[in-house]
């Protein structure tokens, strides 16, 4: 039973570029949440998708957007990259939008130069 | 963004020692969770607490949901080398879909004593 899979695992971008990160949830899960984890910090909630709609959003600018597909997989898009966007981006899946038992993926490490 | 106050930030352990860490918040939480993150991996859930005063064990791990609902602690008994890693507390403010996101602490890094 595959857990949460994320791609790519590592990527390097330059300031001003755009990036798309992808996530496949654990089998049986229908909700995807995205978190940003800066070096030495705990994960920070970006947003959550359920039934192909953004249900909740953390304190992140509109440069951060997402999408959920009918198969429950999800994408995180970040436009106009800043140096401060360098972080590990974690995808977590769950069953139901209010669930607190999340299964995390290993993350996508983004470096912005 | 809002984060929980987690302490200590780091600690060194010797095999066999007991370990304690805690988390406090200015906000009341309805759920407390403890996660462990190994290098190159995402956080893995260790223990979930749903009621004030609740004490829950998972093997050598024991966690408690503070009676004020503003704090929680995690104890590890008889530590072993594979306990090394970063431990995060996380809280959830509400129930249901309206407040499902988690707020994480900054983590407690467990290392082996040189």
């Amino acid at each position: 039973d595959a857990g949460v899979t994320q791609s790519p695992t590592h990527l390097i971008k330059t300031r001003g570029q755009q990036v798309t990160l992808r996530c496949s949830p654990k089998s049986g899960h229908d909700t995807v949440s995205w978190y940003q984890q800066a070096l030495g910090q705990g994960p920070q909630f970006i947003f959550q998708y359920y039934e192909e709609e953004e249900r909740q959003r953390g304190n992140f600018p509109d440069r951060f957007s997402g999408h959920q597909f009918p198969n429950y997989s999800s994408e995180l898009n970040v436009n106009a990259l800043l140096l401060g966007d360098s972080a590990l981006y974690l995808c977590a899946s769950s069953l139901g939008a209010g669930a607190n038992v999340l299964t995390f993926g290993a993350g996508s490490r983004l470096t912005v130069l | 963004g809002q984060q929980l106050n987690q302490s200590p930030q780091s600690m060194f352990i010797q095999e066999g020692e007991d370990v304690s860490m805690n988390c406090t918040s200015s906000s009341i939480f309805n759920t407390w969770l403890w996660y462990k993150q190994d290098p190159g991996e995402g956080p893995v859930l260790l223990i979930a607490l749903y009621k004030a005063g609740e004490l829950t064990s998972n093997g050598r791990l024991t966690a408690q949901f503070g009676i004020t609902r503003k704090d929680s602690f995690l104890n590890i008994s008889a530590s072993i080398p594979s306990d090394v890693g970063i431990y995060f507390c996380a809280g959830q403010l509400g129930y249901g879909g309206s407040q499902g996101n988690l707020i994480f602490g900054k983590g407690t890094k467990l290392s082996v004593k040189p």
Side-chain angles (χ1 to χ4, degrees), chain B residues 24-67:
Chain B
T24 60
S25 170
S26 56
S27 302
I28 290 175
F29 286 100
N30 290 312
T31 304
W32 281 95
L33 306 111
W34 286 91
Y35 286 85
K36 181 181 182 228
Q37 187 174 27
D38 291 326
E41 302 291 330
V44 173
L45 181 66
L46 300 173
I47 292 181
L49 302 156
Y50 300 105
K51 201 160 56 169
E54 180 181 352
L55 185 71
T56 297
S57 292
N58 177 9
R60 295 177 296 105
L61 276 62
T62 301
Q64 184 158 30
F65 192 142
I67 199 73

Side-chain angles (χ1 to χ4, degrees), chain B residues 95-109:
Chain B
Y95 299 109
S98 62
Q99 295 185 57
N101 73 79
L102 299 181
I103 298 169
F104 281 82
K106 291 188 176 184
T108 295
K109 184 177 181 180

Side-chain angles (χ1 to χ4, degrees), chain A residues 77-109:
Chain A
N77 300 294
V78 187
N79 294 324
L81 284 167
L82 304 174
L83 295 179
D85 294 331
S86 295
L88 180 68
Y89 288 85
L90 295 164
C91 171
S93 71
S94 58
L95 182 60
N100 49 40
V101 181
L102 303 178
T103 301
F104 282 87
S108 294
R109 171 75 62 187

Side-chain angles (χ1 to χ4, degrees), chain A residues 27-93:
Chain A
S27 177
H29 285 182
D30 58 5
T31 303
V32 172
S33 301
W34 287 92
Y35 287 79
Q36 180 195 64
Q37 187 176 21
L39 202 60
Q41 302 292 316
Q44 297 268 353
F45 175 73
I46 302 175
F47 43 52
Q48 181 188 70
Y49 276 84
Y50 173 67
E51 293 185 334
E52 301 180 50
E53 288 187 14
E54 182 182 297
R55 297 292 176 163
Q56 298 182 66
R57 189 177 184 93
N59 189 25
F60 279 81
D62 291 345
R63 298 186 297 109
F64 289 77
S65 64
H67 189 77
Q68 185 179 34
F69 299 94
N71 67 353
Y72 307 122
S73 67
S74 177
E75 287 181 352
L76 164 66
N77 300 294
V78 187
N79 294 324
L81 284 167
L82 304 174
L83 295 179
D85 294 331
S86 295
L88 180 68
Y89 288 85
L90 295 164
C91 171
S93 71

